Amino acid sequence: MPDLIHNLEAVQQRIAMAAHVAGRDTRSVHLLAVSKTFPAEDVRAAYAAGQRAFGENYVQEALTKIETLADLRATLEWHFIGPLQSNKTRPVAEQFDWVHSVDRLKIAQRLSEQRPDNLPPLNVCLQVNISGEASKSGVSIPEAVEVAQAIAALPKLNLRGLMAIPEPAGGIDEQRVPHRHLRELFERLCNDGLELDTLSMGMSSDLEAAVLEGATIVRVGTAIFGARDYSN
Ligand SMILES: *Cc1c(COP(=O)(O)O)cnc(C)c1O
């Protein structure tokens, strides 16, 4: 899959360039390859090219892929980034390394209860509705402080930081605004005493803006794997 390898390199170069402009160390920005809707073979090809962290949105699809790629499990990270219903938390708690899309305390409580004792704490991010639209999931900025404190107290979770999916915007200056708001919230939580190290923000179309505002994980699908086909 030469395209995939080439795309992966191009995305890494975009990250490196943005980090350079921001005066940041490139190694402080981690690439999460979002493999939803793409087959396990594509994940294996990206893995062979050195990619180690993969993001999935749909529980059933992810579980099938995780099983198919069980031989790589010890050196590959699975990140759940999609909407999570409370009746689907158990396999996510059992199979994933990270969940970026924790959008309410109840989901966090279930993940903590269901995380197996023989595994390290599940890394989680609190998803924040940064654009303020009613349709998007995530806690509001005013709610975030209290919910983050409560999640940080759960025994089998490790609250690593914040995640957002801003509304698409045209130019880089406009794209930076919601990312900046997420970073400001992150800084406030750190000042309140939470030990956070992760800002999960930036996708194929706005990763430069996100890196300029401090993203530590960019979640990139299309620019690596190509356009998604949802017909099956
Ligand atoms: C699909 C998805 C991505 C990747 O989006 P692209 O535009 O394809 O890079 C990132 N984050 C989340 C939460 C997603 O659902």
Side-chain angles (χ1 to χ4, degrees):
M1 277 161 250
D3 277 0
L4 200 158
I5 310 301
H6 172 265
N7 291 348
L8 202 47
E9 276 173 16
V11 168
Q12 277 153 355
Q13 273 173 21
R14 284 174 63 188
I15 293 170
M17 186 65 80
H20 176 74
V21 172
R24 300 179 54 194
D25 185 340
T26 311
R27 289 168 301 181
S28 67
V29 187
H30 301 276
L31 174 59
L32 180 65
V34 177
S35 46
K36 66 179 178 218
T37 79
F38 288 93
E41 302 88 82
D42 286 5
V43 174
R44 196 178 285 283
Y47 179 94
Q51 179 63 30
R52 288 293 178 270
F54 294 88
E56 290 284 337
N57 285 56
Y58 311 105
V59 175
Q60 197 47 55
E61 180 196 344
L63 295 177
T64 307
K65 238 175 265 184
I66 290 171
E67 204 184 326
T68 307
L69 298 167
D71 57 310
L72 307 179
R73 187 65 185 91
T75 50
L76 187 157
E77 277 180 12
W78 288 108
H79 294 230
F80 191 80
I81 63 173
L84 188 49
Q85 293 162 0
S86 56
N87 63 351
K88 299 250 179 78
T89 50
R90 184 176 294 280
V92 172
E94 290 174 350
Q95 301 287 339
F96 281 80
D97 302 294
W98 284 72
V99 178
H100 293 229
S101 44
V102 172
D103 61 356
R104 52 198 190 277
L105 183 57
K106 185 183 171 199
I107 294 289
Q109 286 165 335
R110 290 180 67 90
L111 289 170
S112 181
E113 281 160 19
Q114 294 167 344
R115 182 69 168 170
D117 283 332
N118 62 321
L119 294 179
L122 181 64
N123 297 297
V124 300
C125 293
L126 177 61
Q127 183 173 350
V128 181
N129 182 353
I130 212 76
S131 306
E133 256 120 285
S135 61
K136 281 269 170 64
S137 40
V139 297
S140 67
I141 291 180
E143 285 169 331
V145 179
E146 202 178 325
V147 180
Q149 296 282 4
I151 293 175
L154 293 171
K156 292 294 289 177
L157 300 187
N158 186 1
L159 179 65
R160 299 291 296 269
L162 303 177
M163 179 272 222
I165 312 173
E167 279 298 288
I172 192 160
D173 292 338
E174 289 136 49
Q175 289 174 351
R176 287 181 69 161
V177 175
H179 294 122
R180 184 177 312 136
H181 291 155
L182 194 70
R183 174 176 44 85
E184 287 165 356
L185 176 62
F186 174 89
E187 285 165 356
R188 206 171 120 205
L189 294 174
C190 292
N191 288 336
D192 282 355
L194 289 175
E195 286 178 35
L196 308 178
D197 61 10
T198 300
L199 266 173
S200 169
M201 58 186 194
M203 320 203 305
S204 292
S205 57
D206 61 0
L207 73 85
E208 284 84 359
V211 170
L212 287 169
E213 293 298 341
T216 66
I217 299 182
V218 293
R219 309 177 309 266
V220 180
T222 311
I224 297 172
F225 296 103
R228 283 181 290 276
D229 176 1
Y230 285 102
S231 59
N232 9 297

